Amino acid sequence: MDRRSFIRKAAIGGSAIAASTTLAAPLVAQTTPTVNWRLTSSFPKSLDTIYGGADTLSKYLSEATDGNFTLQVFPAGELVPGLEAANEVGAGSVEACHTVGYYYFGKDPSYAVAAAVPFSLSARGMNAWHYYGGGIDLYNNFLEQHGLVAFPGGNTGVQMGGWFRREINTVADMSGLKMRIGGFAGQVMSKLGVVPQQIAGGDIYPSLERGVIDAAEWVGPYDDEKLGFVKVAPYYYYPGWWEGGPTVHFMFNKTAYEALPANYQSLLRTACQAVNMDMMSSYDHKNPTAVKNLVAQGAQLRPFTPEVLEACFNAAEEVYAETSAGNPGFATLWDSIKAFRGDFYQWTQIAEYNYDTFMMIQKNNGKI
């Protein structure tokens, strides 16, 4: 082959490559169509970590699609009342929401099981059940009747037991206690004499201050510090046995989700899982500093006594038996978690518990 022939053929080949590159652009564009969704959060912007999960999801989707999949986020109350988010998404009024299933306990207790119920699983346990124990599919089988598809989208880790105006040392101390708490935990507490109160987040502080309620549960140190509860209820109890690993969910209108291209559906699931891990990591980083701040401000840390915890556990088991007997959908979800719960805590007491306990002892001895 002479030099001129080589150059001519090389030019032809180069043109073909250039042409194929040019033709690829429209094909890529076809796989990233323009989708504009709205998401209503059940949380106010002031709770930046839990509310921020929706902003993070929006960011991930936009970056992965060159801005073609947009998710406009609205805080609680701006588009939809916070506790109505899932209902409006199921009805098709808005495409997506960021919420917690137990907010809809009154509609059907089954909503709560995949989020958090008393003495269930830790955050790691919930993730294991959701992603590998069939939890996501079981929950979506239930949600289908409500026009929803959901994926885990955050976790706070085990929550605190709340702020109390007086000490709680025995079960008798709980009798007549007016506490801001709802859902399953409220039912359990009521069996022990507590009077559950449903109070919106913004009304908790003045209710404690005026003595309208004696105690209130919220989230954990980072979020609790923002609301200033330490000024009006100094006893800070732990653990929040009703939320050992509360899963926050992204819920989507089922029709809208199924209309997405398969690659967008896959991206959405993957982005939700990334947010799920991101939120937990954020709380784990922020809570250690926040709890030290609260103690410096006068918070008196108190563990629930074994007597109180044992009584609450037994009461919870009663509530589960009663609810399962009349609600097959609830029973299906709870039986699945309960079957895994035994194996999970058998395993975690072997390695995790012993390692963490040893390291805590080193901390208490001033070695770390």
Side-chain angles (χ1 to χ4, degrees), residues 162-282:
W163 298 88
F164 292 72
R165 288 163 55 89
R166 64 173 188 262
E167 291 189 79
I168 303 296
N169 295 311
T170 67
V171 174
D173 292 334
M174 301 176 75
S175 181
L177 185 83
K178 298 187 295 295
M179 183 175 183
R180 186 269 183 190
I181 192 169
F184 266 105
Q187 284 195 2
V188 172
M189 287 287 208
S190 66
K191 285 182 173 288
L192 303 176
V194 172
V195 182
Q197 306 286 312
Q198 293 280 9
I199 298 176
D203 297 327
I204 298 174
Y205 184 97
S207 297
L208 281 169
E209 186 177 36
R210 297 196 308 268
V212 175
I213 56 175
D214 306 303
E217 59 84 26
W218 189 236
V219 180
Y222 180 71
D223 288 335
D224 290 4
E225 184 183 10
K226 290 175 177 292
L227 298 183
F229 297 142
V230 65
K231 301 173 184 176
V232 289
Y235 299 105
Y236 198 21
Y237 274 86
Y238 59 89
W241 44 264
W242 46 88
E243 295 189 57
T247 300
V248 184
H249 276 87
F250 287 111
M251 296 187 181
F252 307 100
N253 177 269
K254 189 172 187 294
T255 300
Y257 173 78
E258 291 178 345
L260 291 173
N263 61 327
Y264 270 25
Q265 291 182 12
S266 177
L267 172 62
L268 195 57
R269 292 192 299 269
T270 302
C272 288
Q273 190 166 355
V275 173
N276 191 40
M277 177 58 69
D278 182 77
M279 185 185 294
M280 183 76 259
S281 300
S282 181

Side-chain angles (χ1 to χ4, degrees), residues 27-111:
L27 293 175
V28 172
Q30 288 173 21
T31 64
T32 54
T34 299
V35 174
N36 299 305
W37 276 7
R38 296 172 302 164
L39 181 149
T40 182
S41 176
S42 285
F43 316 108
K45 282 187 176 180
S46 57
L47 298 179
D48 59 307
T49 301
I50 195 165
Y51 172 85
D55 281 337
T56 302
L57 180 67
S58 177
K59 174 175 177 286
Y60 289 166
L61 294 176
S62 179
E63 289 179 347
T65 62
D66 291 328
N68 286 321
F69 194 163
T70 63
L71 196 63
Q72 187 178 5
V73 179
F74 296 86
E78 188 170 309
L79 191 64
V80 173
L83 302 186
E84 293 294 325
N87 297 333
E88 293 300 318
V89 171
S93 302
V94 62
E95 292 85 4
C97 67
H98 195 211
T99 190
V100 187
Y102 52 62
Y103 288 163
Y104 313 97
F105 171 86
K107 189 174 182 179
D108 188 325
S110 306
Y111 269 102

